[in-house]
Amino acid sequence: MRLGIISALAEEQHGLIEALQSPYKLVHGMREYTGGKLWEIDAVCVLSRIGKVAAAMTASILVEKFGVTHIVFTGVAGSGDKNVKVGDIVVAEELVQHDFDASPLFPQFEIPLTGLSRFATDTALTQRLATAAAQTTRVHRGLIASGDQFIGKLTQIQGLKAAFPDLLAVEMEGAAVAQVCFELGIPFAIIRTISDNANDNAAVDFMHFIKTVASRYAYEVIENFCKA
Ligand code: ADE
């Protein structure tokens, strides 16, 4: 196994680079890839930057240039359900691109020529991540929606919840990684700590959360995951 670990922002991956043994660095396409041993696991860590295209490019390069065999995305997300609270963790079982709409040629949300609107995460990796996360905080498993929008208005999150009643969290990268991994046949998992409620307070809560809690969670969960 060679594990690719992606986060959008530095705060979401804090400490992991420092934890890599015998690290090596390579800059490619405006990103710095750092490889090495992470608690006995051969790993490559990278910041994707923000949004679906950025995440898709990063996942593709990890596979094609760095030879990773598995991918985990760790970061923060807005809540998509009243039972999912700030500080909880959501481990994705399915991902959807909530801003994808090629209708009337294809059904809304369906990714053309795949026949799918939802991409499933790898069962074994997801189970291992959820078990690792449960040692840190409360864990939910289910649907995460991604789009090239920060969801920061109550009406926006209400609209998404109406479209996806089983929605647990919203973010901006996971479903892009999911599509790339589906197309390349790479097992993947997505874990998100809830930083805000994707409502009118989202931007302020998000900024506060990533500065305080996000980094500690990512580190703890990945450590437990690698040691398992
Ligand atoms: N990541 C963290 N919070 C988010 C939100 N409210 N919308 C989109 N991505 C997020």
Side-chain angles (χ1 to χ4, degrees):
M1 178 202 241
R2 174 172 288 167
L3 179 65
I5 302 177
I6 314 177
S7 305
L9 304 169
E11 291 84 353
E12 297 169 315
Q13 207 173 81
H14 190 245
L16 285 183
I17 302 285
E18 293 74 16
L20 281 167
Q21 302 281 305
S22 323
Y24 60 92
K25 282 193 191 298
L26 206 144
V27 175
H28 177 84
M30 299 175 65
R31 285 147 183 80
E32 186 173 86
Y33 295 79
T34 310
K37 284 263 178 212
L38 204 51
W39 297 288
E40 309 302 315
I41 288 188
D42 184 16
V44 183
C45 297
V46 60
L47 302 179
S48 61
R49 309 161 74 100
I50 296 170
K52 292 190 297 170
V53 173
M57 156 147 175
T58 309
S60 307
I61 297 291
L62 272 175
V63 175
E64 296 299 328
K65 194 175 173 72
F66 291 87
V68 308
T69 58
H70 298 72
I71 288 180
V72 167
F73 193 109
T74 165
V76 299
S79 172
D81 189 272
K82 63 178 182 341
N83 294 317
V84 176
K85 309 288 189 198
V86 170
D88 289 0
I89 279 178
V90 174
V91 179
E93 288 183 340
E94 291 183 311
L95 293 113
V96 64
Q97 297 182 38
H98 67 70
D99 55 355
F100 206 110
D101 187 358
S103 63
L105 304 182
F106 296 89
Q108 190 181 11
F109 309 122
E110 184 171 308
I111 304 305
L113 313 182
T114 66
L116 297 172
S117 57
R118 295 178 177 212
F119 291 89
T121 57
D122 180 71
T123 313
L125 270 187
T126 296
Q127 180 61 52
R128 185 167 162 182
L129 255 192
T131 304
Q135 298 175 46
T136 296
T137 187
R138 200 155 73 113
V139 177
H140 310 263
R141 289 168 65 154
L143 179 69
I144 295 182
S146 313
D148 288 320
Q149 289 165 1
F150 184 82
I151 307 299
K153 286 205 177 69
L154 186 60
T155 50
Q156 271 179 305
I157 191 64
Q158 285 171 339
L160 289 176
K161 192 66 177 172
F164 308 104
D166 55 339
L167 182 67
L168 295 185
V170 290
E171 36 87 314
M172 303 181 67
E173 296 86 15
V177 172
Q179 185 181 341
V180 167
C181 289
F182 170 78
E183 294 184 3
L184 294 176
I186 296 290
F188 73 97
I190 313 277
I191 179 164
R192 295 282 187 170
T193 309
I194 299 302
S195 57
D196 61 85
N197 290 313
N199 58 13
D200 299 332
N201 301 323
V204 171
D205 293 347
F206 169 84
M207 292 306 292
H208 176 72
F209 192 87
I210 58 164
K211 281 195 209 121
T212 54
V213 206
S215 46
R216 208 187 71 233
Y217 275 24
Y219 185 92
E220 276 179 27
V221 172
I222 297 297
E223 180 178 8
N224 292 334
F225 173 85
C226 290
K227 286 179 172 170

